[in-house]
Amino acid sequence: MELQEKKIYLDYNATTPLAPEVIHCVSEALANAWANPSSSTEIGRSAKELINQARKKVATMLNAKPTDIIFVSGGTEGNNVVLHTALKYFNSGSGKLGQGALLKPHIITTNVEHDAILLPLKHYEAEQLADVDFVPVSMSSGQILIEEIEKLIKPNTCLVTVMLANNETGVIMPVAEISRKIRILNEIRQKEGLCRILLHTDAAQAIGKISVDVEELGVDYLTIVGHKFYGPRVGALFVREMAEDSTPLYPMFFGGGQERGLRPGTENTPMIHGLGCAAELVSQNLEKYHETMKKMRDLLEKSLIVEFGENIIVNCDTAMRLPNTSSVSFRGTGMSGGEILSRCPRLMASTGAACHGTGKPSAILMASGVSCEDARSAVRLSLGRDTTPSEIDQIVQMLKLALKRTSVRTIIFTRIILNYHFVMNFCNKLSTTIYYLDGVQETGDYCSP
């Protein structure tokens, strides 16, 4: 296959390929560390050691303690464990407020979270297990405003969960600032006998693109997803001071004693080893990754603006965004983002997580202040570590050709419609008059369809 025929992948926010180093680590573990890590045999102890090494590498990436990391199957499980914990934590005794009145736990989140947060919380609401506030983000920036969270905090609030970066817009949320505010509120609440507000962030999209430091963020929980940063499809959860029981964590499953009994089940050693390798690559190369992706993202957006001018907008570009993510809307095409991508068969991208190629406007984009029409024509272009200037140029040309064809078809179709309406309007109003030689007059509408 010649170079110009190769497909170009720009859907790295959906998933990333395994880094070559990660493939090596996974393969090595598959061949040499296949034993049960709980086994007392030599090969079992070797498998356990690989898991311990991976735990240290993930912790180093986050500036955390290894004892604050537990391995889970992925981001969905990690998020659900935190939400489950919030309910158990509140109902364990903190829900008794005032004169023994029993209230439901109250959770605050945003209206642009991933479904792994939104759907469990909607389920809790439907089952009357919790009261939930889905706080709207700013319609001008797509960011959550701290004061909007603060004014919704109640005596029975037990958890605030805000994603670190949005998967569609790339907007980075002010999690560290939210943490500082909650820390102050918790000092006051402790004196009043109210339950501590726990803070969680889903960092799935942020890791490997921007610095993610749990000490700077000040969160109690942080979700890690390997396949978003060139690792395998396994995840981890950071729980602050877990070994000291400072932050609660309640297991969802029961069985063996793996992961200190908090996540039972025989560990997936090869994938965990691969996750550790991916984390180590981030620790060693984050600055380079960030610089390269931002340079290519900026080149992409600049090239698109030069090519399409007023007919393209970059969504949420006034906010701090991930260095690799660009959500763009094409105006005046009459097409959905999915239809635009269908005319670029060599471009592998998406329209955003909420669209699913149906042509329905993204709820996330509209919640972030993007108009319905612009949300419908949006395309999410998420770049990777190895995206090149040549690929950027090819992508712009693909889109130019796709939209040029669309413009020609639109012009032709519009002219046909206009001509049709003109003729029909003329004919409907024309009443022909025919004079016969004998002077008799006859009228009739001879142009009726």
Side-chain angles (χ1 to χ4, degrees), residues 11 141 196 286 305-306 319 329 335 380 386 392:
D11 205 16
S141 68
R196 167 187 166 195
L286 178 61
I305 291 170
V306 168
S329 295
M335 300 173 63
R380 183 187 70 180
D386 301 317
I392 296 297

Side-chain angles (χ1 to χ4, degrees), residues 17-32:
L18 292 178
E21 297 89 341
V22 173
I23 294 174
H24 175 76
C25 285
V26 172
S27 300
E28 178 186 53
L30 284 168
N32 303 315

